[in-house]
Each structure stands twice: as structure tokens, then as C-alpha cells.
Amino acid sequence: MFVWYLLGFVVLVAVIFTVGYIMKKKHYQRINELEAQKIELMERPVIDELTKVKKLKLTGQTEALFESWRDSWDEIATKLFPDLEEYILNAEQHTDRYQFRQATQMENQVEQVIHDIDTQMKQILRGLKELLASEERNAQDIRMAKDKFMMIRRDVLSNGYKLGEALGGVEGELDAIAESLNRFDMLTDQGDYLEARETVLNVQHNLEKLGVKMEKIPGLLRESDIILPDEMSKLQAGYDEMVQQGYYLEQLQLAAELERMSERVADLKVKIVDGELEAVENGVAELHTEINLFYDTLEHEVEARHFVKENRIVVEAKLEKQVSVSDALAEQIKEVKQTYHVSEDELATYLKVASQLETQKEQLASVTERLSEVRIAYSAAEDTLKEIDAIVSNISVEQDTFAEELRSLRKDELEAREDADRMRRAVVNLTRKLDRERLPGKPEEYVALSEHMEESIVKLEERLEEKPLNMKAIHHEWRVAKENLDHLTEKAEEMIVNVQLVEHVIQYANRYRLRNPELAEELRKAEDHFYKDFLYNKALEIAVTALEKVEPSAFKKIEKAYEMQINVDEVE
């Protein structure tokens, strides 16, 4: 037993030793990786880059920024690196003592310090690189800026007259740029490379703006001094010429509009001097648009005059023709009213249309008079003529429809009279057909339908005898009589079929009658309905139900035999 305990203890010690060995190896591996990262950080050329920049003559923003980088490096060199060494050493000691939790804490601390050092170093190196590069970029950019400055100044000296009153503003901007160039040289000599960089960028931006301005100002001055005034003068001349030719153009208020445009042009000149070129460009475009709109309006007046000359007589003739049609329709209404009843709604429609025609005559007369007195624009006259033409066209359709309705009254009357006679003959023929069937009698329902049918024909005939005839009422009674005839015919046909089927079912069922008392009783009931109260449908229902109990599907055979006009025993 002791041997087993001893063996277990040995195994446990071996396991612990193995686990400890693996954990120590893992921690040493991580510590070695952190040590390598520390060495990589210490080899970065921060001191070399600081030395290069320190050789430069630094002042102002640049000097302050350099001092902040150097302070950051001093913190790294004198505090963070020593701390890093201590944390790594502590991690190694904890690992040697198998204090793996403490070792892990130290390793995490090392990682955090390495991250902080890396971040600060990158900021320092990036800043130093940008500072050294800014000196080179400044030298290149300032040469280009000075060349462009001299080119613009030569252009102003040679072509300044093209700038007009804006010349003073341009020269002022050039003086301001010259001061900025001098300030750049001063900052560079003092070693303030960062502020010098901002200065040269501002110079580049201002030179670009000034170059664009010098390109635009001559064209905008030409617009305000020559092109726009010339276009306004031409517009006034065209307006005056059209007035002399008999055009009415007072609605355009051109004099007031041209005065307003002139004031806007004067305002644009002030804005050119003030350098508000974007506002000037927008204003010039808007004025051109307004002038073009006036030209479009004048052109439309020319087209409208052509339309009026070609279509005024045509519209007048069309209107007069429709007035004649309306007068003829009035006479037709008088004649029709002697025979037929014309509703107030129909008369109101006619009177409304006649009133519209009178209104259009007044409109046309007014336009004609104002044209002769030059008191209306041709465009307004065109719109009025088109409106009159559209209204007259609609009136023509309405009057044609009304006239057709009046003409159809006599046709409908004759057709209704003929149909009344036809329906009487149909009722007589239906009665004869039922008589030929030798029915035991007619059900009360059918008798009532027949009487109702007679009443509807009588009402239709009475309506046809009224003076004047009310065709709407006639149409109503006519429709009712047709519906009643269809219903009566349907019932008669149904009754004939039911009578014949009842007879066939009872004849077929008689083969079971003697040996089936229940069937015999039901057949007797069916026969009572058939011969006494003439309820053929009820008799058929009772007989079929009784037969189906004895012989299912027998009624289908009987129906098929009836349809095929053969003996039921021949049905397969």
C-alpha cells in the first residue's frame, strides 16, 4: 500500500514539474518577444532626427513644437525605458519563482509601456519628418508663388485698363500678397517654418483667386458696360417697332422693367469693383434670361397675330352656325312638345347651352372691337378665340345628342306600340300552348302572374294613349311588361315540364305500388296535388322522393328518357 502512495506522489511531482516547466517556457517566450520589441524601439532614430532639426534655426511655433517633441523624448529616455527594463526584470524573476500570475501582470504592464512609447515615438518622428519636409516644400512653393505674383503684376501693369474701376482693388490685393511674401521670408529667416508654411499656402490661395478674378473682370465689365445696355436698347427698339405696327403691348410694362434692369446693371458694376464676382455672374445670367423672356413674349405676339387673322373669321362662322342649329333646335322642341312630354331637366340643359352661345357671341364681339381699337394683346385674343372654339365644339356635341334624343322619341313610340301588340300575342299563344297540354288546371301563382301580365300591358297601352306622351314613363312600363312576360313564359315552360315529369314518374312507380303501401300512399298524395290544387312542382317532389326510396337513381333514368323522347325501360 505504501508503495502505491509513494508511486502516486512521484507521479504528482512529475506532473507538477512538467506543468511548471511548460508554463515557465511559455512566459520566457513572451518575455523574449517583449524584449525584442523594446530593442526595436530603442533602435529607432529619434535622436538622429532631433539632432537634424536642432541644427535648424527655430523660432515661434516651430521652436515650441520642437521643444514639446524633445520633452516627450526625454520622458521616454529617462522614465519609460527604465520602467520598461524594471518590468521585464520583474517578469523574469516571477517566472523563475513559478509566480506565474504576478509574471503575467508584469508582462501586461510591459506591453502597455511599449504601446505608450511606440505611440509617442511615432508622433515625434512624424512631426520631425513633416517639419524637415516643410522647409523643402516651402522653398519650392515660394519660388512658384513669387513667379506667379510677378506674372500677375506684369499683366496688371500692361493690361490694367481692362479692369476699369476694379483696378484699384486688384492692386490692393497685390500689395497684400507682397506683404505676405515678405512675411514668409522673415519667418523663414527666423526659423518659424510652420507659420511660414501657413503663410505660403495663403499666398497660393490668394494668387489663385486673384488670377481667376483678373480673367473674369474684363468679360463682366463688357457685359455691364456694353452687352446688356445694347441688348436692352435693341429690346426697346423692337418694342417700339411692334407698337407702330399695331400691336398692343402695354401689359408688358417694358419701360418700368428696363429702368429696373438699368438699376441692376449699375449695381452689378459696383459689385465688380467690390470683387463680388459670383454675384455679378448670377446677376448677368438672370438679366439675359429676363431679356430673352421679353423677346419670347414679343415673338409670341407675332405668332398670335397670325393665328388671330387666320382663325377669327373661322371661329365666328362656327359660332354663327351653332347659333343657327340652336334656333332650329328650339323650333324642333316646340313641335315635339305638342306630342311628347319634354322634362324640365332636358329644357334646362337646352336653355343653358343657348345661354352659353349668347355669352360666346358677346365675347367674340368684345374681342373684335378691342382688336380694332388696339386695346387687347394678340396673345390674349388668341386665348379667347381658342376658348370660344372649344366651348362651341362642346355645345355642338351636346346639341347633337339632344337633337338625336328628340328624333328618337317617335321611333321609340312606334317600337313600344309594336311591342305591346307582340306581348299580347305572346300571352295568347302561351295560353293556347297550355291548353294543348290538357292540364288539370292552372296553379294560383300562375293565374296571378297572368293577371299581373295583363295589368302591365294595359298600363303600357294607357301610357301610349296619353297626350302628350311621357316617353320616360312609357319606357318604364315597357320594361316592366317585358320582365313580366319573361317571368310568365318561364313559369309556363316549367309547369309543362313538371306536369309531364309527374306523369312519367307516377307511371314508372306504379310497378311498385301494389307491393309497397308506403309508396302507394305517397303517390296518392302526389296525385291529390296534381289533380286538386294543381301544384305540379309539389306533386313531382313527393313522387320522386317516394320512388327514390324504392329505387335509387330512378328519377335520373326518367329524366334521360324524357329528354331523349324514348321509353324509360330503353335507358341503359
Side-chain angles (χ1 to χ4, degrees):
M1 181 63 70
F2 175 76
V3 174
W4 286 107
Y5 281 125
L6 181 60
L7 182 61
F9 176 75
V10 171
V11 171
L12 178 61
V13 170
V15 170
I16 293 173
F17 177 79
T18 302
V19 171
Y21 175 77
I22 294 172
M23 292 295 292
K24 283 180 70 175
K25 185 177 181 182
K26 182 178 179 182
H27 278 277
Y28 277 129
Q29 183 179 354
R30 187 180 182 196
I31 292 170
N32 290 336
E33 291 174 355
L34 294 173
E35 180 72 23
Q37 293 179 28
K38 181 199 75 172
I39 294 171
E40 188 274 329
L41 290 175
M42 296 180 73
E43 291 177 350
R44 289 184 184 177
V46 177
I47 295 178
D48 294 342
E49 296 298 320
L50 284 171
T51 304
K52 288 181 185 177
V53 174
K54 189 176 181 180
K55 293 178 181 178
L56 299 174
K57 182 181 178 182
L58 304 178
T59 60
Q61 290 184 15
T62 308
E63 183 180 17
L65 191 58
F66 175 78
E67 290 299 329
S68 70
W69 293 334
R70 188 162 62 179
D71 291 343
S72 180
W73 170 249
D74 288 343
E75 180 186 9
I76 293 171
T78 60
K79 183 178 184 305
L80 295 182
F81 273 135
D83 289 346
L84 191 59
E85 290 284 359
E86 182 180 352
Y87 294 146
I88 292 174
L89 180 60
N90 288 338
E92 290 176 344
Q93 291 174 350
H94 286 306
T95 301
D96 290 339
R97 296 168 186 166
Y98 295 93
Q99 297 172 340
F100 300 126
R101 186 171 60 83
Q102 294 88 336
T104 300
Q105 292 176 352
M106 287 296 103
E107 290 162 6
N108 292 339
Q109 193 71 26
V110 169
E111 281 189 345
Q112 182 61 47
V113 174
I114 287 175
H115 176 269
D116 294 342
I117 294 173
D118 178 64
T119 301
Q120 291 188 46
M121 277 188 170
K122 285 179 179 177
Q123 291 177 346
I124 295 170
L125 289 171
R126 183 167 55 249
L128 293 171
K129 183 178 180 181
E130 290 177 355
L131 178 59
L132 291 170
S134 68
E135 182 189 15
E136 298 176 3
R137 288 199 302 270
N138 283 353
Q140 181 181 356
D141 290 345
I142 200 64
R143 284 195 301 272
M144 295 175 63
K146 287 180 177 180
D147 290 344
K148 188 166 186 177
F149 173 80
M150 293 305 297
M151 181 182 67
I152 292 177
R153 170 157 282 180
R154 284 195 299 271
D155 190 22
V156 169
L157 292 174
S158 303
N159 302 302
Y161 65 93
K162 295 180 181 179
L163 301 177
E165 295 181 7
L167 176 61
V170 171
E171 290 177 336
E173 290 187 45
L174 280 172
D175 292 341
I177 292 172
E179 291 180 8
S180 295
L181 291 172
N182 293 333
R183 175 173 171 74
F184 172 85
D185 293 337
M186 179 190 68
L187 291 170
T188 302
D189 292 340
Q190 292 175 352
D192 196 347
Y193 301 106
L194 294 181
E195 191 168 349
R197 183 66 188 160
E198 293 178 6
T199 301
V200 74
L201 291 176
N202 286 332
V203 168
Q204 287 177 326
H205 177 67
N206 292 334
L207 283 171
E208 186 67 27
K209 285 175 57 180
L210 185 58
V212 172
K213 184 179 292 187
M214 294 207 32
E215 290 179 3
K216 290 183 176 180
I217 287 175
L220 293 175
L221 285 173
R222 187 167 180 273
E223 285 282 354
S224 62
D225 293 341
I226 300 173
I227 296 177
L228 285 172
D230 184 56
E231 287 190 3
M232 289 188 287
S233 297
K234 289 179 179 177
L235 179 60
Q236 181 67 64
Y239 176 91
D240 294 339
E241 183 180 352
M242 288 182 67
V243 169
Q244 292 176 2
Q245 293 175 358
Y247 287 88
Y248 178 84
L249 301 173
E250 291 184 12
Q251 76 279 7
L252 300 182
Q253 298 291 309
L254 186 64
E257 290 297 318
L258 288 176
E259 182 178 355
R260 179 185 60 80
M261 289 184 194
S262 297
E263 291 174 356
R264 287 195 64 187
V265 170
D267 182 58
L268 292 178
K269 291 181 181 179
V270 173
K271 282 184 167 57
I272 292 173
V273 174
D274 293 341
E276 301 175 23
L277 300 190
E278 185 176 353
V280 175
E281 288 175 326
N282 293 334
V284 168
E286 289 171 2
L287 284 171
H288 278 298
T289 299
E290 291 182 23
I291 292 171
N292 289 334
L293 285 175
F294 274 106
Y295 275 117
D296 291 343
T297 302
L298 295 177
E299 183 178 351
H300 179 56
E301 286 298 319
V302 174
E303 294 171 352
R305 183 180 190 179
H306 181 69
F307 176 88
V308 170
K309 286 186 175 181
E310 284 192 345
N311 292 278
R312 188 181 65 81
I313 302 300
V314 175
V315 173
E316 184 177 10
K318 186 175 181 179
L319 178 59
E320 290 300 328
K321 177 183 177 182
Q322 204 58 45
V323 170
S324 299
V325 170
S326 182
D327 293 341
L329 191 57
E331 292 299 322
Q332 188 178 354
I333 291 173
K334 289 180 181 179
E335 294 175 2
V336 168
K337 286 181 68 177
Q338 295 175 5
T339 306
Y340 301 98
H341 172 77
V342 180
S343 69
E344 293 300 321
D345 290 342
E346 291 173 325
L347 289 175
T349 299
Y350 166 75
L351 293 174
K352 176 185 175 183
V353 168
S355 174
Q356 285 180 330
L357 282 174
E358 190 61 33
T359 301
Q360 300 316 305
K361 284 180 65 177
E362 293 173 0
Q363 283 273 78
L364 183 60
S366 173
V367 167
T368 301
E369 180 182 357
R370 291 166 70 189
L371 282 171
S372 64
E373 296 175 358
V374 194
R375 289 190 298 111
I376 185 174
Y378 282 105
S379 56
E382 177 187 13
D383 292 341
T384 303
L385 289 176
K386 288 180 177 179
E387 182 181 357
I388 292 172
D389 183 67
I391 292 174
V392 170
S393 295
N394 290 334
I395 289 174
S396 175
V397 173
E398 293 181 17
Q399 288 187 329
D400 287 347
T401 301
F402 188 45
E404 181 59 32
E405 290 175 355
L406 293 178
R407 286 192 294 271
S408 68
L409 291 175
R410 178 59 179 167
K411 177 183 175 184
D412 289 352
E413 176 199 354
L414 294 175
E415 188 176 344
R417 291 183 184 278
E418 291 176 0
D419 212 27
D421 293 339
R422 180 191 65 78
M423 286 189 284
R424 278 205 172 277
R425 291 193 301 272
V427 172
V428 171
N429 291 334
L430 201 57
T431 301
R432 289 174 180 171
K433 184 176 182 179
L434 291 175
D435 290 341
R436 286 196 299 270
E437 293 295 327
R438 301 184 182 278
L439 303 179
K442 296 175 183 176
E444 292 181 4
E445 180 186 7
Y446 183 80
V447 173
L449 286 175
S450 298
E451 292 173 355
H452 191 57
M453 180 69 230
E454 176 63 22
E455 290 173 3
S456 62
I457 294 177
V458 169
K459 286 183 180 179
L460 174 59
E461 291 173 340
E462 288 175 350
R463 286 292 188 183
L464 288 168
E465 296 304 318
E466 292 177 351
K467 297 296 181 182
L469 294 175
N470 187 334
M471 290 307 299
K472 284 189 176 180
I474 289 172
H475 275 288
H476 172 72
E477 299 298 343
W478 190 3
R479 179 179 55 78
V480 171
K482 285 181 178 180
E483 291 174 356
N484 289 340
L485 178 59
D486 291 340
H487 193 195
L488 184 67
T489 302
E490 180 183 347
K491 285 296 181 182
E493 296 293 341
E494 179 185 338
M495 185 168 56
I496 291 170
V497 171
N498 286 340
V499 167
Q500 293 175 353
L501 283 174
V502 170
E503 292 175 344
H504 282 71
V505 169
I506 292 176
Q507 288 173 6
Y508 187 87
N510 282 336
R511 65 184 64 186
Y512 301 109
R513 196 165 192 162
L514 293 177
R515 59 178 183 270
N516 192 323
E518 184 180 350
L519 171 65
E521 178 61 24
E522 292 299 310
L523 291 179
R524 186 190 62 75
K525 290 179 182 179
E527 290 168 345
D528 285 344
H529 285 302
F530 187 87
Y531 290 107
K532 292 180 179 180
D533 49 18
F534 318 123
L535 296 179
Y536 306 117
N537 189 41
K538 183 67 174 176
L540 179 62
E541 180 182 344
I542 293 172
V544 168
T545 302
L547 177 60
E548 290 285 322
K549 291 180 180 179
V550 178
E551 184 183 339
S553 303
F555 184 59
K556 289 184 178 179
K557 290 171 59 178
I558 295 169
E559 277 189 311
K560 188 173 182 180
Y562 173 76
E563 292 172 358
M564 299 176 66
Q565 298 292 311
I566 61 176
N567 189 284
V568 68
D569 293 325
E570 297 177 19
V571 177
E572 296 181 358

